[in-house]
Amino acid sequence: SLKDPTPLTQIVLPGLTKLDRLEAGLTFQPASKSWNFILDLPALQYGTLQLDSLRILSAPSNSGLRTTVDALQLQSGENLKFTLPHFYTFQRNDSLWVDIKTLEQADSLLWHTAGTLAAKEENWRFHFDPIVRLNGIDWAVDPGHEMVYKPEKGWQIQDFELNNGAESVSIDGASGNGPFQDSLIVLRFDQFGIAVFNPLLDLPDDYITGALQGQPQLFGRFEFVKLAS
């Protein structure tokens, strides 16, 4: 455990304003060649980010490696608050399943997404689960979507679309093949209610209202990004 981390953080983490006593433990069982890791952090504040009661658990099993990260609340600014955030991963062979969610109440999901990251040779593919929950509303994910990273071509997104009744948003794009090649991202909005972005932008729920309709494009290198609509 670390009772007073202040001397270690003043230089390397100048934005850190609060860090409670940190406790961590690692146990190993030689007979089964298994181990368990646990970390508890009661409170953390870095700049505008506040984290309450963080716990990390990680342990292997016969089928793979399981890791969970839980907290009572994650807050950034005044309006971006996640209650009971939960991050879970399960790694087996060359695939990693990821599940991220937060609750509005103990039995009510507010935000939720999950998916699988798989490696084949040097290529990486990520595929979302069928449903994504955004600010308490379920959105169906197009099952034909594809997100791929290839060392020789960079990243590529195809047919990633979220649908909720008459509302939809989709993303297609690809990175350039070299360091001086432009990347392109195409967004398509069809009656997409933009109020869902308010909490993510640290704004009150009714600060931005209305619906987006159109097809903006982002293109350029990371240091020079242009917008066309």
Side-chain angles (χ1 to χ4, degrees):
S1 64
L2 189 61
K3 295 182 179 179
D4 184 11
T6 305
L8 300 177
T9 60
Q10 286 180 336
I11 298 177
V12 295
L13 297 172
L16 188 66
T17 56
K18 183 177 181 180
L19 179 63
D20 280 359
R21 177 172 175 166
L22 175 69
E23 294 187 355
L26 177 65
T27 59
F28 178 72
Q29 299 178 1
S32 59
K33 295 183 179 180
S34 63
W35 50 268
N36 289 275
F37 173 77
I38 181 171
L39 181 145
D40 284 310
L41 179 60
L44 169 69
Q45 184 170 346
Y46 188 90
T48 61
L49 179 67
Q50 300 178 54
L51 191 60
D52 183 12
S53 302
L54 172 70
R55 166 164 282 196
I56 301 175
L57 299 172
S58 183
S61 65
N62 293 332
S63 56
L65 176 64
R66 303 175 187 273
T67 301
T68 60
V69 180
D70 292 289
L72 289 182
Q73 181 169 281
L74 172 64
Q75 179 174 347
S76 179
E78 295 295 326
N79 300 285
L80 181 56
K81 298 178 182 179
F82 295 125
T83 302
L84 297 175
H86 172 83
F87 177 80
Y88 171 82
T89 66
F90 175 70
Q91 180 183 356
R92 179 170 57 188
N93 299 327
D94 293 329
S95 66
L96 179 71
W97 187 71
V98 179
D99 185 277
I100 304 172
K101 62 184 177 183
T102 69
L103 305 181
E104 186 173 23
Q105 298 174 353
D107 59 348
S108 176
L109 275 175
L110 190 60
W111 301 84
H112 182 224
T113 185
T116 302
L117 178 66
K120 185 177 182 181
E121 296 177 349
E122 295 184 350
N123 301 331
W124 291 86
R125 295 177 182 270
F126 186 83
H127 197 275
F128 279 89
D129 281 6
I131 298 295
V132 169
R133 191 169 181 84
L134 305 178
N135 204 17
I137 299 175
D138 286 341
W139 294 75
V141 181
D142 186 335
H145 74 276
E146 190 172 61
M147 297 182 174
V148 182
Y149 173 79
K150 298 180 179 181
E152 72 279 7
K153 293 184 178 181
W155 56 266
Q156 186 175 24
I157 303 174
Q158 291 184 339
D159 300 326
F160 178 71
E161 183 173 345
L162 301 178
N163 289 279
N164 173 36
E167 299 181 62
S168 68
V169 56
S170 66
I171 303 175
D172 290 273
S175 62
N177 294 333
F180 300 104
Q181 299 296 317
D182 287 344
S183 300
L184 172 65
I185 298 177
V186 179
L187 303 172
R188 298 179 183 86
F189 297 99
D190 188 1
Q191 299 300 318
F192 182 77
I194 58 177
V196 68
F197 293 130
N198 283 324
L200 298 179
L201 299 174
D202 190 22
L203 298 172
D205 288 340
D206 58 350
Y207 191 86
I208 300 177
T209 59
L212 290 176
Q213 183 77 34
Q215 182 177 300
Q217 298 181 8
L218 298 171
F219 59 94
R221 294 183 292 275
F222 286 109
E223 63 270 30
F224 301 107
V225 178
K226 300 177 182 179
L227 172 63
S229 59

